[in-house]
Amino acid sequence: MASDTRQRLIDAAIKRFYRDGFRNVGLDQILADVGISKTAFYKHFESKDDLMLSALEDQNRRMQDTFRQLMRQRGGESPAGQLRALMDVVEMLTKSDDFQGCIFVNVSMEFPLPHEPAHIAARKSKSEIEEIVSTVAAEAGAADPRALAQELCLVMEGAYVTRQVTGNRDTIAIARRLAERVIGAHLANR
């Protein structure tokens, strides 16, 4: 099935790009992982860049789904509890031995120019996660939901980068303390 092969290409690309870097991975490596020819590849994507953007879009969708699901699952019905559960999501993402940082931070570092399509995809993902957090912050009664979301997302990004650079698994404890301060400042008496 075409859609199955397309998804297998996306999954293999995400794995390779995340582990080895976007510019370091050749199309032949991904094709070998999936076990298809270049001719078969071009039935699904125009180029490696097209595959990369599709993989980032797929990863963005998955991340959003994960954030929404785990915030509700770990935070319960309370929007304030869901905001606090954000650090549970961060912990889940960063505790793996193969954690290589946030894929969207990584791609924005490899494609630093703001007009590059991969950089735009990274910015879009960050914006959409912030929007999810802002919506929950509004439901929690924050006077300035956008500011609360921006501050929590900055704490999350700091946790991703610090964990990746230092390898310190206790980074999440620091992030939790900071997030609690941010939430407490915005949701006094909640």
Side-chain angles (χ1 to χ4, degrees), residues 170-183:
D170 295 329
T171 297
I172 189 62
I174 299 164
R176 283 185 193 283
R177 288 192 305 270
L178 291 172
E180 192 54 44
R181 289 179 190 158
V182 167
I183 292 168

Side-chain angles (χ1 to χ4, degrees), residues 86-104:
L86 278 171
M87 292 305 114
D88 292 343
V89 179
V90 172
E91 181 176 25
M92 183 205 76
L93 295 172
T94 62
K95 72 180 179 182
S96 167
D97 285 337
D98 17 321
F99 178 73
Q100 300 291 320
C102 173
I103 195 169
F104 295 102

Side-chain angles (χ1 to χ4, degrees), residues 118-147:
H119 193 96
I120 292 167
R123 185 172 53 239
K124 178 180 183 268
S125 175
K126 297 302 177 188
S127 175
E128 290 174 351
I129 293 293
E130 186 178 295
E131 188 59 37
I132 291 168
V133 177
S134 181
T135 298
V136 176
E139 292 168 0
D144 190 345
R146 177 72 51 209

Side-chain angles (χ1 to χ4, degrees), residues 23-85:
R23 293 187 191 266
N24 292 333
V25 173
L27 183 56
D28 290 337
Q29 293 169 298
I30 296 168
L31 298 181
D33 290 345
V34 176
I36 66 167
S37 67
K38 281 190 180 179
T39 302
F41 170 81
Y42 289 115
K43 292 178 183 176
H44 303 282
F45 297 99
E46 293 179 14
S47 64
K48 175 188 162 187
D49 286 346
D50 185 31
L51 171 60
M52 179 178 62
L53 293 174
S54 293
L56 288 169
E57 182 179 308
D58 186 78
Q59 190 65 16
N60 180 33
R61 181 189 47 76
R62 290 179 192 202
M63 272 188 83
Q64 287 184 44
D65 291 347
T66 298
F67 268 84
R68 284 186 184 103
Q69 177 186 11
L70 288 177
M71 284 172 65
R72 282 188 215 110
Q73 187 179 65
R74 303 267 175 103
E77 295 297 317
S78 162
Q82 291 174 15
L83 291 174
R84 287 179 175 87

